[in-house]
Amino acid sequence: MVYPQLLAAPGRGSMTRASVSVARCTPRVFLRGRRSMTSPRSTARARIARRVLAHGNRARGNRVDAVIDPDDVDGVPYEAPSKQPSDDLRGTGVVLPPITWASDAWRWGSAIGDAHDAAAVVRAALNASEDARKRWLVSMISTSPLPEQNYVPWEECKLVLALSWQLSGHRGAHACANGAGSWLDVMENLRRGYYEENNSVGGDVVLARDMGERLSEAGRGLIVDARRAASEATNGDEVWTHDAVRRATAAAVLLELEFLEVGI
């Protein structure tokens, strides 16, 4: 199975408008952003983001098993990073409170509260254009545990996921691609603070697992690629590998929910 939003509509050629934009714009945006990544661990993010694009290439050709060199996506070869950060990598600029989903003031689903205020900022930024959503998605994947590369904080990513799940419910598109229930189940777990709990496994690990179990075969393949790339580049560093996996999982979820096409 491949990402449906990357497949051609009948009679309209081999790529949708969104996939054409991803092919033409995102690699260049990403390559410019990569110039600030100087360490092997940072470069791992480059490889993971390129693997996201590789999955898009496979989907466009309807060849999930196609072999794609992660160092040469869409004919754009690897470029050595420089020391200057790129303005292309950035989040929405939303300022979140120290406690979100576990706070009584968050009030997800209410017309008042911290969640409502934060959602307004995020929606205004990401619903502005498809290009804004592409830029955000690449920035989210390119984010690393390094403070200077915290382009999209993980809490912002969780809010975008929740808004995407909420919209999928309004659209009647909340069924998981592999038939494993509804994305609204994950949103409800998030709303009640289930993934904020301190447990032996870790809330973010459980969130990534719950999302991964609901993804299509292509989405799960992306997670495997991200885990392998991060582990190899960081000598198995658990913090970096976990962050890479959760972000790759989030990217796969958003792609399957047609984030690029319909917004949040």
Side-chain angles (χ1 to χ4, degrees), residues 224-242:
V224 172
D225 285 348
R227 179 179 288 109
R228 181 186 302 114
S231 181
E232 289 176 353
T234 64
N235 294 320
D237 186 292
E238 293 183 1
V239 172
W240 280 69
T241 301
H242 163 61

Side-chain angles (χ1 to χ4, degrees), residues 108-234:
W108 175 257
S110 172
I112 58 174
D114 291 345
H116 179 267
D117 296 343
V121 175
V122 171
R123 283 195 178 106
L126 297 183
N127 287 344
S129 68
E130 186 175 302
D131 283 342
R133 293 189 290 277
K134 281 181 284 189
R135 185 185 303 112
W136 183 90
L137 188 63
V138 174
S139 298
M140 187 271 289
I141 285 289
S142 301
T143 296
S144 85
L146 293 177
E148 64 270 23
Q149 292 172 356
N150 190 28
Y151 310 116
V152 178
W154 179 242
E155 289 302 316
E156 179 179 326
C157 183
K158 286 162 63 177
L159 177 57
V160 171
L161 284 166
L163 290 170
S164 189
W165 292 327
Q166 186 181 67
L167 179 61
S168 75
H170 297 326
R171 297 172 59 225
H174 55 87
C176 301
N178 68 354
S182 167
W183 288 114
L184 298 182
D185 297 334
V186 186
M187 186 183 75
E188 173 58 19
N189 285 341
L190 189 62
R191 182 200 65 79
R192 64 187 181 89
Y194 175 69
Y195 301 118
E196 310 304 303
E197 298 173 357
N198 269 331
N199 53 50
S200 59
V201 179
D204 280 348
V205 174
V206 177
L207 173 58
R209 182 200 66 193
D210 284 358
M211 292 191 295
E213 290 176 348
R214 290 166 169 79
L215 286 170
S216 66
E217 181 180 352
R220 294 194 299 273
L222 179 57
I223 298 170
V224 172
D225 285 348
R227 179 179 288 109
R228 181 186 302 114
S231 181
E232 289 176 353
T234 64

